[in-house]
């Protein structure tokens, strides 16, 4: 009589080191909001991520400077306030509930996030902002709810993303470096390639518009310094230098293959004026657009004549 052997496996239990039970609001501010700084106290916790600008974060323990790239944590039930000292301010925040004792480790002065941490936090915040809407159009800060038709799993995604971010930062605060292995370097390399290709594609799709570094930073969730560095390392060119080069190459194509005027081409490629377009075009090619158009016409005429002669010779042989 045969018997079935029962295998027993050890299960490593997930004890939910950080248990984010839900979030109240998530916002991404593209400019400094119009508000009067004052001490506030909430029943939920908040995390702020400063993308640009400077300010001061004040708690009952003291005041701390905040600037681009820094994160600060506002614990539930504690009085604090923040104020901005520069006009060029962009920041993101998320209000959430988490009663894990480990949250006490975040009650430290504002500190810089690394690229992976910042991207993970912004992913949670921007996803939450996208899937939610205010409870009241006039009171956007009192809370949000899922938009109609949004699956509830997206709420779980936001909470899980926030928990991942908290684990990452907690490990760094505690000096646990097990997350910093070779896979991180490979991931960073792949992300750089994807970023640069994404920027190139965005340029190609918006060749007729005026795109700024700020526009790109907002779209790809990256700091200006990091974007410039990564793009030059991959292409050997500056970000806006590359964009302008593409515009001029397209201008050369249009000047040589269409009957559009210089003014029409300048406007179609997003230049603020014909004179500015002419200045940039000459700096890049050594000719004005009109001179290039004449040169291109003669060149195309030459090639057309050469092809015509080849065609006649082929017919004579036949």
């Amino acid at each position: 009589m045969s018997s079935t052997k029962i295998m027993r496996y050890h299960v490593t239990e997930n004890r939910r080191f950080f248990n984010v039970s839900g979030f109240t609001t998530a916002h991404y501010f593209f400019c400094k909001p119009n508000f009067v700084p004052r001490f506030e106290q909430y029943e939920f916790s908040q995390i702020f991520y400063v993308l640009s600008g400077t300010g001061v974060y004040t708690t009952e323990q003291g005041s701390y400077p905040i600037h681009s790239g820094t994160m600060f944590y506002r614990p539930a039930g504690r009085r604090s306030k923040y104020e901005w000292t520069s006009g060029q301010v962009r920041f993101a925040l998320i209000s959430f509930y988490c009663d894990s004792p480990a949250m006490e480790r975040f009650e430290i002065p504002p500190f810089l996030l690394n690229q992976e941490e910042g991207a993970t936090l912004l992913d949670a915040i921007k996803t939450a902002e996208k899937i939610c809407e205010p409870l009241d159009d006039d009171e956007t800060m009192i809370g949000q709810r899922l938009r109609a038709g949004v699956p509830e799993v997206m709420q779980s995604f936001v909470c899980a993303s926030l928990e991942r971010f908290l684990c990452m930062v907690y490990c760094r605060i505690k000096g646990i470096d097990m997350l910093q292995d070779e896979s991180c370097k490979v991931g960073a390399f792949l992300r750089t390639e994807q970023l640069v290709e994404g920027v190139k594609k965005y340029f190609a799709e918006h060749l007729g518009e005026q795109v700024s570094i700020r526009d790109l930073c907002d779209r790809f969730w990256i700091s200006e310094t990091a974007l410039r560095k990564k793009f030059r390392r991959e292409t050997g060119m500056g970000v806006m230098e590359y964009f302008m080069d593409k515009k001029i190459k397209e201008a050369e194509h249009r000047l040589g293959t269409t009957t559009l005027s210089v003014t029409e081409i300048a406007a179609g490629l997003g230049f603020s004026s014909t004179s500015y377009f002419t200045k940039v075009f000459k700096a890049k090619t050594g000719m004005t657009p009109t001179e290039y158009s004449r040169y291109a016409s003669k060149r195309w005429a030459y090639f057309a004549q050469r092809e015509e002669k080849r065609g006649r010779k082929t017919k004579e042989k036949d």
Side-chain angles (χ1 to χ4, degrees):
M1 181 175 179
S2 62
S3 61
T4 303
K5 185 177 180 180
I6 299 176
M7 299 293 293
R8 295 186 181 277
Y9 297 93
H10 174 74
V11 178
T12 301
E13 182 183 355
N14 179 15
R15 300 190 181 185
R16 298 292 296 277
F17 200 76
F18 290 102
N19 183 17
V20 176
S21 58
F23 60 93
T24 305
T25 57
H27 295 282
Y28 187 103
F29 292 98
F30 291 91
C31 60
K32 182 171 63 176
N34 183 22
F35 77 107
V36 178
R38 66 182 186 278
F39 276 95
E40 300 169 315
Q41 179 177 328
Y42 300 107
E43 63 180 38
F44 47 76
S45 299
Q46 288 186 314
I47 286 180
F48 284 66
Y49 184 29
V50 183
L51 300 168
S52 66
T54 58
V56 178
Y57 173 54
T58 304
T59 69
E60 294 177 342
Q61 285 70 45
S63 295
Y64 311 95
I66 50 178
H67 52 83
S68 179
T70 57
M71 180 212 96
F72 62 95
Y73 168 63
R74 305 180 77 184
R78 305 282 184 84
R79 295 178 68 251
S80 64
K81 72 173 181 178
Y82 63 93
E83 53 189 316
W84 304 107
T85 56
S86 70
Q88 301 298 321
V89 171
R90 289 185 305 131
F91 69 97
L93 72 88
I94 186 166
S95 307
F96 61 99
Y97 290 88
C98 182
D99 57 5
S100 303
M103 290 303 301
E104 294 180 359
R105 297 296 301 178
F106 289 80
E107 297 180 34
I108 58 178
F111 61 94
L112 284 170
L113 296 182
N114 63 36
Q115 181 182 342
E116 182 75 7
E117 294 162 352
T120 302
L121 177 58
L122 280 177
D123 186 34
I125 293 175
K126 297 201 78 170
T127 301
E129 185 184 49
K130 181 179 180 180
I131 66 175
C132 292
E133 62 184 2
L135 293 177
D136 189 311
D137 291 337
D138 297 326
E139 295 289 345
T140 59
M141 297 299 289
I142 65 173
Q144 295 173 320
R145 62 186 166 209
L146 288 180
R147 296 181 185 277
V150 174
E152 290 187 358
V153 67
M154 294 305 301
Q155 187 172 1
S156 296
F157 173 84
V158 171
C159 293
S161 297
L162 190 53
E163 287 179 2
R164 179 172 184 263
F165 165 76
L166 293 172
C167 288
M168 293 168 65
V169 175
Y170 180 86
C171 285
R172 186 150 70 91
I173 293 174
K174 294 284 289 183
I176 302 171
D177 60 358
M178 298 181 71
L179 298 178
Q180 306 301 318
D181 58 11
E182 290 302 313
S183 64
C184 294
K185 297 178 182 178
V186 173
F189 172 75
L190 293 175
R191 285 191 298 274
T192 297
E193 280 195 329
Q194 293 166 356
L195 167 68
V196 172
E197 289 306 310
V199 171
K200 287 181 177 180
K201 182 179 179 182
Y202 186 79
F203 279 154
E205 295 172 348
H206 298 79
L207 207 58
E209 302 174 18
Q210 294 183 18
V211 178
S212 67
I213 285 285
R214 176 65 60 79
D215 295 331
L216 295 172
C217 292
D218 291 339
R219 179 173 181 80
F220 292 96
W221 306 356
I222 190 172
S223 71
E224 183 175 333
T225 300
L227 175 59
R228 291 182 185 277
K229 182 178 179 180
K230 291 176 181 295
F231 196 89
R232 183 172 291 278
R233 186 169 61 210
E234 288 292 311
T235 66
M237 301 176 68
V239 182
M240 302 315 296
E241 177 189 2
Y242 177 91
F243 189 38
M244 191 59 70
D245 187 68
K246 289 297 179 183
K247 282 179 178 283
I248 296 303
K249 280 184 169 56
E250 178 61 23
E252 290 177 348
H253 175 73
R254 295 183 187 183
L255 285 167
T257 59
T258 71
T259 58
L260 293 172
S261 68
V262 173
T263 299
E264 289 172 327
I265 291 174
L269 290 174
F271 285 89
S272 56
S273 67
T274 304
S275 59
Y276 177 59
F277 167 63
T278 300
K279 179 181 178 180
V280 174
F281 190 93
K282 186 172 183 179
K284 289 278 187 180
T285 66
M287 292 181 280
T288 65
T290 302
E291 291 170 342
Y292 184 88
S293 180
R294 292 170 184 162
Y295 161 76
S297 297
K298 292 179 181 179
R299 187 181 180 188
W300 282 110
Y302 167 75
F303 284 116
Q305 290 176 0
R306 190 171 70 173
E307 290 301 314
E308 185 179 350
K309 288 180 181 180
R310 285 180 178 176
R312 285 201 300 266
K313 289 181 179 180
T314 301
K315 288 182 180 180
E316 290 173 358
K317 289 182 180 180
D318 294 340

